[in-house]
Amino acid sequence: MPEGPSLVILKEATVRFVGQTIVDAGGNVRAIDPARLVGQPIVSLRTWGKHFLIELPTMVVRIHFLLFGTYRVDERRDKPPRLSLRMADGGEINFYACAIREIDADLDSQYDWSADVMSDAWDPKRARKKLRARPDMLACDALLDQDLFSGVGNIIKNEVLFRIRVHPESRIGALPAPKLRALVDEARQYSFDFLAWKKDYVLKQHWLAHAKTTCPRCHIPFKKAHLGRSNRRSFFCERCQKRYE
Protein backbone atom coordinates (compact mmCIF):
# COMPACT_ATOMS: atom_id res chain seq x y z
CA MET A 1 0.00 0.00 0.00
CA PRO A 2 1.84 3.13 -1.14
CA GLU A 3 2.00 6.21 1.04
CA GLY A 4 3.53 9.57 0.16
CA PRO A 5 7.15 8.51 0.80
CA SER A 6 6.77 5.53 -1.56
CA LEU A 7 5.77 7.87 -4.38
CA VAL A 8 8.81 10.04 -3.71
CA ILE A 9 10.89 6.89 -4.27
CA LEU A 10 8.98 6.27 -7.51
CA LYS A 11 9.67 9.81 -8.68
CA GLU A 12 13.37 9.45 -7.90
CA ALA A 13 13.50 6.09 -9.71
CA THR A 14 11.92 7.54 -12.85
CA VAL A 15 13.55 10.99 -13.01
CA ARG A 16 15.70 9.79 -15.91
CA PHE A 17 12.54 9.52 -18.04
CA VAL A 18 11.89 13.26 -17.89
CA GLY A 19 12.58 14.61 -21.37
CA GLN A 20 12.33 11.18 -22.96
CA THR A 21 9.67 10.22 -25.48
CA ILE A 22 7.12 7.49 -24.81
CA VAL A 23 7.64 4.96 -27.61
CA ASP A 24 4.99 2.43 -26.57
CA ALA A 25 1.99 2.41 -24.24
CA GLY A 26 -0.56 -0.22 -23.31
CA GLY A 27 -2.51 -1.81 -20.50
CA ASN A 28 -6.10 -2.49 -19.54
CA VAL A 29 -6.87 1.12 -18.62
CA ARG A 30 -10.24 2.34 -19.94
CA ALA A 31 -10.30 5.96 -18.84
CA ILE A 32 -7.69 7.01 -21.40
CA ASP A 33 -6.47 5.70 -24.74
CA PRO A 34 -2.81 4.66 -24.25
CA ALA A 35 -2.17 5.27 -27.95
CA ARG A 36 -2.51 9.02 -27.27
CA LEU A 37 0.61 8.90 -25.12
CA VAL A 38 2.89 7.42 -27.78
CA GLY A 39 5.26 9.95 -29.31
CA GLN A 40 4.87 12.46 -26.47
CA PRO A 41 7.86 13.53 -24.36
CA ILE A 42 7.54 13.54 -20.57
CA VAL A 43 7.70 17.15 -19.43
CA SER A 44 7.72 16.44 -15.70
CA LEU A 45 6.93 13.83 -13.07
CA ARG A 46 5.34 15.14 -9.88
CA THR A 47 3.70 13.68 -6.80
CA TRP A 48 0.94 14.80 -4.46
CA GLY A 49 0.11 12.33 -1.73
CA LYS A 50 -0.83 9.07 -3.44
CA HIS A 51 -1.08 10.78 -6.84
CA PHE A 52 1.68 10.34 -9.42
CA LEU A 53 1.40 12.98 -12.12
CA ILE A 54 2.84 12.48 -15.60
CA GLU A 55 2.90 15.82 -17.39
CA LEU A 56 2.97 15.66 -21.20
CA PRO A 57 2.78 18.52 -23.72
CA THR A 58 -0.91 17.95 -24.44
CA MET A 59 -2.22 16.35 -21.24
CA VAL A 60 -1.55 15.26 -17.66
CA VAL A 61 -2.05 11.62 -16.66
CA ARG A 62 -2.94 11.12 -13.00
CA ILE A 63 -2.11 7.78 -11.39
CA HIS A 64 -4.02 7.40 -8.11
CA PHE A 65 -2.69 4.46 -6.08
CA LEU A 66 -5.79 4.11 -3.88
CA LEU A 67 -5.37 1.36 -1.23
CA PHE A 68 -3.66 -1.39 -3.19
CA GLY A 69 -1.91 0.24 -6.14
CA THR A 70 1.63 -0.82 -7.01
CA TYR A 71 4.26 -0.02 -9.61
CA ARG A 72 7.34 -1.54 -11.18
CA VAL A 73 10.20 0.30 -12.87
CA ASP A 74 12.09 -1.63 -15.57
CA GLU A 75 10.31 -4.85 -14.64
CA ARG A 76 6.82 -6.35 -14.64
CA ARG A 77 4.61 -8.36 -12.33
CA ASP A 78 3.01 -11.64 -13.41
CA LYS A 79 -0.28 -9.89 -14.12
CA PRO A 80 -1.42 -7.42 -16.78
CA PRO A 81 -0.63 -3.79 -15.93
CA ARG A 82 -3.28 -1.11 -15.75
CA LEU A 83 -0.89 1.10 -17.71
CA SER A 84 2.52 0.33 -19.19
CA LEU A 85 4.85 2.98 -20.61
CA ARG A 86 8.06 2.20 -22.51
CA MET A 87 10.61 4.95 -23.01
CA ALA A 88 13.15 5.79 -25.69
CA ASP A 89 16.05 4.39 -23.65
CA GLY A 90 14.30 1.01 -23.32
CA GLY A 91 13.17 1.61 -19.73
CA GLU A 92 9.58 1.17 -18.66
CA ILE A 93 7.07 1.98 -15.91
CA ASN A 94 4.20 -0.36 -15.12
CA PHE A 95 1.24 0.52 -12.90
CA TYR A 96 -1.14 -1.96 -11.26
CA ALA A 97 -4.43 -1.82 -9.30
CA CYS A 98 -4.66 1.96 -9.53
CA ALA A 99 -7.05 4.54 -10.92
CA ILE A 100 -5.89 6.41 -14.02
CA ARG A 101 -7.42 9.42 -15.71
CA GLU A 102 -6.59 12.57 -17.61
CA ILE A 103 -6.78 15.80 -15.60
CA ASP A 104 -6.51 19.49 -16.37
CA ALA A 105 -3.00 20.62 -17.26
CA ASP A 106 -3.07 23.50 -14.75
CA LEU A 107 -1.88 21.46 -11.79
CA ASP A 108 -1.40 24.43 -9.47
CA SER A 109 -5.11 25.20 -9.66
CA GLN A 110 -6.02 21.63 -8.68
CA TYR A 111 -3.54 20.78 -5.96
CA ASP A 112 -2.76 22.37 -2.62
CA TRP A 113 0.95 21.61 -2.51
CA SER A 114 1.13 23.01 1.03
CA ALA A 115 -0.92 20.00 2.23
CA ASP A 116 1.59 17.43 0.94
CA VAL A 117 3.73 16.27 3.87
CA MET A 118 6.60 15.39 1.50
CA SER A 119 6.56 18.70 -0.36
CA ASP A 120 8.93 21.64 0.10
CA ALA A 121 5.76 23.74 0.09
CA TRP A 122 4.37 21.96 3.19
CA ASP A 123 2.86 24.54 5.56
CA PRO A 124 2.41 23.40 9.18
CA LYS A 125 0.66 26.62 10.18
CA ARG A 126 -1.96 26.09 7.50
CA ALA A 127 -2.37 22.47 8.61
CA ARG A 128 -3.03 23.55 12.20
CA LYS A 129 -5.55 26.14 11.02
CA LYS A 130 -7.42 23.51 9.00
CA LEU A 131 -7.45 21.19 12.00
CA ARG A 132 -8.82 23.84 14.34
CA ALA A 133 -11.70 24.30 11.88
CA ARG A 134 -12.61 20.61 12.40
CA PRO A 135 -12.91 20.28 16.20
CA ASP A 136 -15.20 17.22 16.10
CA MET A 137 -12.95 15.19 13.83
CA LEU A 138 -11.19 12.18 15.35
CA ALA A 139 -7.40 12.16 15.31
CA CYS A 140 -7.36 8.90 13.35
CA ASP A 141 -9.55 10.47 10.65
CA ALA A 142 -7.63 13.74 10.58
CA LEU A 143 -4.32 12.06 9.76
CA LEU A 144 -5.90 10.13 6.89
CA ASP A 145 -7.66 13.17 5.44
CA GLN A 146 -5.69 13.93 2.27
CA ASP A 147 -6.84 17.57 2.28
CA LEU A 148 -5.04 17.92 5.62
CA PHE A 149 -2.13 15.49 5.34
CA SER A 150 -1.66 14.47 1.73
CA GLY A 151 0.54 11.38 1.60
CA VAL A 152 -0.19 10.09 5.09
CA GLY A 153 -1.54 6.54 5.14
CA ASN A 154 -2.50 4.05 7.80
CA ILE A 155 1.03 3.08 8.81
CA ILE A 156 2.06 6.68 9.37
CA LYS A 157 -1.22 7.38 11.19
CA ASN A 158 -0.67 4.60 13.73
CA GLU A 159 2.97 5.42 14.29
CA VAL A 160 2.43 9.17 14.69
CA LEU A 161 -0.35 8.72 17.25
CA PHE A 162 1.82 6.30 19.20
CA ARG A 163 4.80 8.66 19.10
CA ILE A 164 2.79 11.58 20.48
CA ARG A 165 0.82 9.40 22.95
CA VAL A 166 -2.61 10.32 21.60
CA HIS A 167 -5.52 7.87 21.43
CA PRO A 168 -6.87 7.56 17.85
CA GLU A 169 -10.41 8.44 19.00
CA SER A 170 -9.33 11.77 20.49
CA ARG A 171 -11.26 14.79 19.24
CA ILE A 172 -9.13 17.36 17.45
CA GLY A 173 -10.85 20.21 19.31
CA ALA A 174 -9.94 18.63 22.66
CA LEU A 175 -6.22 18.35 21.97
CA PRO A 176 -4.06 20.78 23.96
CA ALA A 177 -2.10 23.15 21.74
CA PRO A 178 1.21 21.27 22.23
CA LYS A 179 -0.44 18.00 21.17
CA LEU A 180 -1.99 19.60 18.10
CA ARG A 181 1.40 20.97 17.13
CA ALA A 182 3.00 17.57 17.76
CA LEU A 183 0.39 15.88 15.55
CA VAL A 184 1.26 18.18 12.66
CA ASP A 185 5.02 18.11 13.17
CA GLU A 186 5.25 14.34 13.58
CA ALA A 187 3.09 13.68 10.51
CA ARG A 188 5.86 15.25 8.43
CA GLN A 189 8.79 13.99 10.50
CA TYR A 190 7.62 10.38 10.47
CA SER A 191 6.99 10.58 6.72
CA PHE A 192 10.64 11.42 6.15
CA ASP A 193 11.73 8.73 8.61
CA PHE A 194 9.51 6.33 6.62
CA LEU A 195 11.26 7.43 3.42
CA ALA A 196 14.75 6.83 4.81
CA TRP A 197 13.86 3.45 6.31
CA LYS A 198 12.09 2.28 3.16
CA LYS A 199 15.10 3.18 1.03
CA ASP A 200 17.24 1.06 3.37
CA TYR A 201 14.68 -1.80 3.33
CA VAL A 202 14.24 -1.64 7.12
CA LEU A 203 10.86 0.09 7.42
CA LYS A 204 9.04 -2.73 9.23
CA GLN A 205 11.87 -3.06 11.72
CA HIS A 206 11.06 0.43 12.98
CA TRP A 207 7.33 -0.04 13.47
CA LEU A 208 6.41 0.46 17.11
CA ALA A 209 2.62 0.26 16.85
CA HIS A 210 1.40 -0.65 13.37
CA ALA A 211 0.54 -4.37 13.14
CA LYS A 212 2.11 -4.95 16.56
CA THR A 213 0.56 -6.88 19.45
CA THR A 214 2.33 -5.42 22.49
CA CYS A 215 3.05 -1.84 23.56
CA PRO A 216 6.85 -1.40 23.77
CA ARG A 217 6.39 1.27 26.47
CA CYS A 218 3.87 -0.39 28.76
CA HIS A 219 4.41 -4.04 27.82
CA ILE A 220 0.67 -4.69 27.69
CA PRO A 221 -1.39 -5.87 24.71
CA PHE A 222 -2.23 -3.29 22.08
CA LYS A 223 -5.85 -2.74 21.21
CA LYS A 224 -6.77 -3.32 17.60
CA ALA A 225 -9.93 -1.83 16.09
CA HIS A 226 -11.37 -0.34 12.93
CA LEU A 227 -12.06 3.24 13.98
CA GLY A 228 -13.45 6.50 12.64
CA ARG A 229 -15.19 7.37 9.42
CA SER A 230 -12.33 5.80 7.50
CA ASN A 231 -12.84 2.48 9.34
CA ARG A 232 -9.14 1.70 8.98
CA ARG A 233 -7.17 -0.49 11.37
CA SER A 234 -5.81 1.23 14.44
CA PHE A 235 -3.24 -0.23 16.84
CA PHE A 236 -2.98 1.65 20.13
CA CYS A 237 -2.21 1.39 23.83
CA GLU A 238 -5.00 2.33 26.20
CA ARG A 239 -2.54 3.14 28.97
CA CYS A 240 -0.01 5.50 27.37
CA GLN A 241 -2.11 6.99 24.55
CA LYS A 242 -4.49 9.44 26.15
CA ARG A 243 -8.00 9.91 24.85
CA TYR A 244 -8.88 13.62 24.62
CA GLU A 245 -12.65 14.17 24.57
Side-chain angles (χ1 to χ4, degrees):
M1 183 189 307
E3 302 192 25
S6 298
L7 266 68
V8 171
I9 293 174
L10 169 58
K11 183 172 67 174
E12 292 176 352
T14 56
V15 67
R16 78 178 198 271
F17 297 143
V18 174
Q20 289 197 45
T21 298
I22 298 171
V23 297
D24 189 33
N28 57 24
V29 60
R30 295 183 179 181
I32 63 171
D33 178 5
R36 294 178 58 206
L37 311 182
V38 176
Q40 294 207 51
I42 294 180
V43 175
S44 74
L45 296 170
R46 303 176 72 176
T47 65
W48 183 86
K50 293 185 179 183
H51 295 188
F52 186 64
L53 306 167
I54 304 173
E55 186 178 3
L56 306 174
T58 63
M59 61 191 297
V60 173
V61 178
R62 188 195 75 178
I63 315 291
H64 189 338
F65 282 89
L66 306 171
L67 289 178
F68 303 108
T70 60
Y71 64 83
R72 295 289 187 275
V73 179
D74 296 332
E75 62 178 357
R76 298 188 179 190
R77 295 180 60 184
D78 58 352
K79 61 188 298 185
R82 185 64 45 82
L83 178 65
S84 177
L85 302 177
R86 188 161 60 86
M87 309 302 170
D89 70 350
E92 61 182 298
I93 320 174
N94 297 290
F95 302 98
Y96 304 86
C98 52
I100 300 174
R101 69 182 181 93
E102 180 180 354
I103 63 172
D104 189 276
D106 185 5
L107 294 177
D108 290 339
S109 69
Q110 299 180 76
Y111 288 100
D112 178 6
W113 304 105
S114 71
D116 186 340
V117 292
M118 303 303 298
S119 172
D120 291 340
W122 164 253
D123 188 343
K125 291 182 180 179
R126 189 168 183 180
R128 292 194 296 271
K129 182 178 180 180
K130 289 179 180 178
L131 286 168
R132 286 192 291 267
R134 298 165 171 81
D136 293 329
M137 180 176 276
L138 299 183
C140 59
D141 286 329
L143 282 165
L144 292 179
D145 189 319
Q146 298 301 290
D147 290 332
L148 297 170
F149 298 102
S150 174
V152 168
N154 209 45
I155 296 171
I156 297 173
K157 176 205 78 178
N158 285 320
E159 293 295 320
V160 166
L161 291 175
F162 184 73
R163 273 190 177 187
I164 68 174
R165 299 175 180 247
V166 169
H167 191 286
E169 290 185 304
S170 296
R171 299 282 175 182
I172 290 298
L175 293 179
K179 287 295 183 184
L180 186 69
R181 181 178 293 274
L183 181 77
V184 171
D185 292 347
E186 285 297 338
R188 179 168 169 87
Q189 180 59 54
Y190 191 87
S191 296
F192 278 90
D193 291 342
F194 184 118
L195 176 63
W197 294 330
K198 192 169 180 66
K199 284 183 174 181
D200 289 338
Y201 304 99
V202 295
L203 175 61
K204 289 186 178 181
Q205 297 175 29
H206 290 273
W207 289 353
L208 297 178
H210 185 75
K212 298 298 183 179
T213 58
T214 305
C215 174
R217 284 194 291 251
C218 303
H219 308 291
I220 62 174
F222 269 128
K223 292 292 183 180
K224 174 185 172 182
H226 289 76
L227 302 177
R229 288 198 319 256
S230 57
N231 199 36
R232 300 292 302 282
R233 290 190 307 165
S234 289
F235 300 86
F236 56 97
C237 178
E238 291 191 309
R239 178 180 293 173
C240 65
Q241 289 179 252
K242 183 175 179 179
R243 187 196 302 255
Y244 293 89
E245 295 181 299

